[in-house]
Amino acid sequence: MLSVYDISLVDEGVAVPDVAAVATARGIVRPTGLPAGVSSGAAAWASRAVTAHPRRAGATVVAVFPGSSGERCPSTAR
């Protein structure tokens, strides 16, 4: 575990299907041009899933796009 990771600050973990992560990454890259890989797609998909829950109505949800330098993003292109 990373020494900068404080699990006490995490409210919830979300399992994201691989297919959903790839599709979401493509859905970010195509219209925006942002360098979003599969991990970023997973973060975006999970944030949408979390905000869809009624107990999160009106809440602010933060999704961090990890490692979004774009160097490996073409690997998800088709």
Side-chain angles (χ1 to χ4, degrees):
M1 190 67 56
L2 296 174
S3 62
V4 297
Y5 182 71
D6 185 353
I7 194 147
S8 69
L9 299 174
V10 176
D11 292 324
E12 173 177 3
V14 179
V16 179
D18 292 342
V19 172
V22 171
T24 304
R26 288 183 187 144
I28 294 167
V29 173
R30 286 186 179 140
T32 66
L34 291 172
V38 177
S39 295
S40 297
W45 189 93
S47 69
R48 289 179 187 156
V50 167
T51 59
H53 196 283
R55 73 178 174 166
R56 297 273 195 244
T60 299
V61 175
V62 176
V64 177
F65 283 13
S68 293
S69 65
E71 70 224 17
R72 296 190 308 176
C73 294
S75 66
T76 62
R78 286 194 191 217

